[in-house]
Amino acid sequence: MPSILITGAGSGVGRATARMFLTNGWQVGLVGRRVDALHQTAGDHEDALILPCDVTDEQAVDQTFDKAVAQWGRLDVLFNNAGASLGGAVVDELDVNDIRQLLEVNVMGAFIAARAAFGHMRRQDPQGGRIINNGSVSAAVPRWGSAPYTVSKHAITGLTRSLSLDGRPYGIACGQIDIGNALTEMAAKMTKGVPQADGSMAIEPVMDVQNVAQSVLHMASLPLDANVQFMTVMATNMPFIGRG
């Protein structure tokens, strides 16, 4: 039975993806800070492993990943999903401490989790595995007032490319899924109106988050000699192509 660790598994994309993998017969490690939320994600699935952890704490991450591998025997996939966002604002109106916190979660948290997964995949026998990073359409085209978040997602693209190269000798594949307007708690505001590049407010199309979960499952299920390097899955009519 294949195994996957999913960070940020307590809500949103992480929860939907975890349930998709559990339904499809995977062993799933649910990583997140809120224990109650992780249990809600797991429901009655016996193959769910509850792993409370803050991804910005490298010692906690190492211990958490060690625990999962000790139970499963190996780690096949990491879905590096945990992240945070800030409300839209121009850069001089942002609190530097809020920016630092976002970058700590979105960049360092992703890096720490990838580092731990890479180490296990490199040492296990047979060697290899797959890391899937959650990017964003903001990694290519920013929204208004999104400088910290956009910077963090550009960093994820750099991490994806570097891990793809560094993982080759060890059979470790790395890909990235860039998501646009999946309907989660975070995206609910888009159904009421969000700022546009021209200063107006507009309701934006959204898509079912299950489309994201299904896409991650596809990426994870490929043999290691095939890789989805970058995938964009988005609401068809959202302002991405032509944004700005």
Side-chain angles (χ1 to χ4, degrees):
M1 186 181 295
S3 60
I4 183 171
L5 284 170
I6 298 175
T7 65
S11 63
V13 167
R15 172 173 287 180
T17 303
R19 289 175 173 172
M20 176 68 70
F21 276 81
L22 287 165
T23 300
N24 281 272
W26 286 62
Q27 298 176 109
V28 181
L30 307 177
V31 181
R33 292 178 298 174
R34 297 175 297 143
V35 178
D36 290 347
L38 298 178
H39 279 286
Q40 290 173 15
T41 296
D44 297 328
H45 289 283
E46 296 181 356
D47 294 318
L49 181 60
I50 305 298
L51 297 168
C53 179
D54 182 342
V55 294
T56 67
D57 182 338
E58 61 269 29
Q59 292 184 342
V61 169
D62 287 344
Q63 292 170 0
T64 296
F65 283 40
D66 288 349
K67 180 179 179 179
V69 172
Q71 177 156 330
W72 298 332
R74 66 179 289 109
L75 174 60
D76 294 305
V77 179
L78 165 67
F79 181 34
N80 216 356
N81 167 73
S85 64
L86 293 175
V90 292
V91 68
D92 64 314
E93 296 177 357
L94 294 168
D95 186 288
V96 172
N97 288 327
D98 290 340
I99 297 170
R100 285 199 177 103
Q101 180 60 33
L102 181 144
L103 294 175
E104 185 72 13
V105 175
N106 290 11
V107 180
M108 286 306 301
F111 201 109
I112 290 167
R115 174 181 176 274
F118 195 102
H120 280 289
M121 293 171 180
R122 181 180 176 183
R123 293 190 300 268
Q124 62 195 8
D125 186 19
Q127 199 173 51
R130 189 184 308 275
I131 296 170
I132 301 171
N133 291 325
N134 187 349
S136 169
V137 294
S138 291
V141 180
R143 283 188 176 275
W144 172 86
S146 70
Y149 184 79
T150 296
V151 166
S152 74
K153 293 306 180 179
H154 275 262
I156 293 300
T157 299
L159 180 63
T160 298
R161 294 185 186 277
S162 295
L163 293 177
S164 295
L165 179 59
D166 294 350
R168 286 178 186 172
Y170 313 111
I172 300 172
C174 184
Q176 178 171 319
I177 184 165
D178 293 333
I179 301 164
N181 288 20
L183 186 53
T184 63
E185 299 94 327
M186 186 183 298
K189 60 187 178 183
M190 296 176 187
T191 65
K192 300 176 182 178
V194 290
Q196 304 297 303
D198 62 2
S200 65
M201 295 286 290
I203 293 172
E204 293 189 7
V206 294
M207 65 173 178
D208 193 325
V209 70
Q210 294 302 315
N211 294 314
V212 178
Q214 186 67 54
S215 298
V216 177
L217 179 64
H218 167 68
M219 295 172 75
S221 300
L222 291 173
L224 286 177
D225 60 357
N227 187 42
V228 175
Q229 186 68 67
F230 291 96
M231 175 190 288
T232 299
V233 57
M234 51 178 265
T236 303
N237 293 327
M238 68 171 286
F240 172 61
I241 302 299
R243 183 186 287 184

